[in-house]
């Protein structure tokens, strides 16, 4: 059994003033397993720049440049993260969501909620909104 020990005490991480640590449940509970590389890159970027409420408002153009992806690929990555319940998006705001899902309203099922979200995304895409 390997004993864990701090390897570099002078570089020991502390919670930064700007708030941004990544929840280990992303790996342990396999949230990231459903993401492709562009979606994971977008999620990491959003985690890094989000405030304590998970909010950020980078434009599509800036995100696409910073992540080296096309606007179409960025839209696909965002839609994947929304479908997985990892982010919420209402242009121009992104919100990184808590991994603990709240209970659905009575009479709702996850499939119906996801279908409504997908319809809204398709409507936005047809209207030229990312």
């Amino acid at each position: 059994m390997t004993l864990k020990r701090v390897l570099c005490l002078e570089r020991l991480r502390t919670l930064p003033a700007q708030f941004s640590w990544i929840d280990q449940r992303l790996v342990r509970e396999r949230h990231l397993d459903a993401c492709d590389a562009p979606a994971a890159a977008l999620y990491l970027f959003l985690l890094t720049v989000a405030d304590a409420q998970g909010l950020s408002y980078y434009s599509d153009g800036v995100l696409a440049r910073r992540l080296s992806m096309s606007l179409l690929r960025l839209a696909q990555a965002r839609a994947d993260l929304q479908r997985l319940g990892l982010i919420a998006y209402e242009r121009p705001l992104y919100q990184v969501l808590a991994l603990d899902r709240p209970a659905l309203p009575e009479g709702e099922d996850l499939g119906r909620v996801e279908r409504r979200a997908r319809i809204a995304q398709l409507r936005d895409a047809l209207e030229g909104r990312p």
Side-chain angles (χ1 to χ4, degrees):
M1 177 180 195
T2 302
L3 295 175
K4 291 198 309 187
R5 61 184 170 81
V6 174
L7 300 176
C8 186
L9 188 58
E10 58 275 3
R11 296 280 309 275
L12 189 64
R13 291 193 318 167
T14 59
L15 186 60
Q18 73 273 7
F19 181 86
S20 181
W21 273 21
I22 298 172
D23 192 326
Q24 292 179 354
R25 291 179 298 166
L26 286 167
V27 174
R28 275 195 255 141
E29 295 176 6
R30 300 182 168 273
H31 294 278
L32 290 180
D33 288 2
C35 294
D36 62 7
L42 175 59
Y43 190 68
L44 176 61
F45 189 92
L46 295 173
L47 281 173
T48 304
V49 300
D51 66 11
Q53 287 78 42
L55 299 172
S56 62
Y57 51 90
Y58 277 78
S59 71
D60 285 354
V62 170
L63 285 170
R65 280 191 304 279
R66 298 286 297 267
L67 298 172
S68 300
M69 62 178 75
S70 70
L71 290 172
L72 178 58
R73 190 60 194 98
L74 174 67
Q76 291 170 336
R78 179 175 50 236
D80 289 345
L81 294 175
Q82 288 177 291
R83 180 181 48 78
L84 295 168
L86 295 173
I87 67 166
Y89 176 73
E90 286 184 26
R91 190 175 181 191
L93 281 175
Y94 285 89
Q95 181 184 354
V96 176
L97 301 175
L99 295 180
D100 304 317
R101 290 184 184 247
L104 293 173
E106 191 169 328
E108 291 282 357
D109 65 46
L110 186 56
R112 182 180 302 154
V113 171
E114 289 178 342
R115 282 191 299 278
R116 272 201 311 258
R118 184 69 182 138
I119 289 168
Q121 290 168 3
L122 291 171
R123 183 181 59 240
D124 287 348
L126 290 171
E127 293 173 0
R129 292 186 303 222

